[in-house]
Amino acid sequence: MLRGRVIAESLRAAADIRMADLRLVRLGRHEVSVSTLPPDERAGGQGPHGAVSGQPSTWTFIDFEGPDRLADDLAQALADALEPDLGWWADFTVDDADRVIVFAGRYFRYRIGDEAGRAEAVAWGRAAGTPEHQLDWGR
């Protein structure tokens, strides 16, 4: 089972992703000026953690799941749909073994725990303009 999240505000205008068997499991709007996570997922900490200039202060979190066989098609659909400005990204896991990180025009898939694979995605995110504190997906 693949499971992930995309922020609605990260999608280009007119983006439309349709995939049979992809299910919405949670939809929520949250104020993110303090943290880019919904309140029930936040942890304490110092420094910048919220939305940055150019990003809205309220985000719509869309959590989804579906069969693993959708992974590559979903990654490409998200890569085609994400807004290229501000380094927006989406992510999901595949069978609790692989992590997929998607940026506008590009996605990365690596085994969970693969530091080299994660580092490659982080480097791409930095180059794409993702704020450092938003490069916070899991390992």
Side-chain angles (χ1 to χ4, degrees):
M1 178 76 52
L2 69 79
R3 292 178 178 85
R5 172 175 290 161
V6 64
I7 306 301
E9 290 74 15
S10 72
L11 299 173
R12 291 181 298 100
D16 191 12
I17 297 173
R18 295 174 187 240
M19 298 195 127
D21 299 326
L22 188 65
R23 294 176 297 284
L24 172 74
V25 295
R26 179 180 176 184
L27 177 67
R29 288 201 28 97
H30 302 281
E31 198 280 325
V32 292
S33 61
V34 175
S35 173
T36 57
L37 293 174
D40 61 331
E41 296 178 25
R42 293 180 185 171
Q46 303 290 324
H49 297 286
V52 297
S53 180
Q55 294 176 332
S57 62
T58 301
W59 292 358
T60 307
F61 292 80
I62 303 170
D63 291 355
F64 54 84
E65 66 181 23
D68 292 342
R69 64 179 164 70
L70 298 179
D72 290 329
D73 289 341
L74 176 59
Q76 188 59 58
L78 287 167
D80 293 342
L82 285 169
E83 176 64 50
D85 296 332
L86 302 173
W88 289 104
W89 56 272
D91 76 313
F92 58 92
T93 58
V94 182
D95 195 30
D96 294 326
D98 289 354
R99 180 160 303 275
V100 180
I101 307 299
V102 185
F103 297 94
R106 176 86 190 266
Y107 69 91
F108 298 83
R109 182 173 178 168
Y110 59 89
R111 298 296 287 179
I112 292 173
D114 175 0
E115 290 302 317
R118 185 179 193 287
E120 184 180 6
V122 167
W124 182 272
R126 283 187 185 120
T130 306
E132 191 68 29
H133 68 279
Q134 291 180 10
L135 296 168
D136 60 351
W137 59 83
R139 297 281 172 201

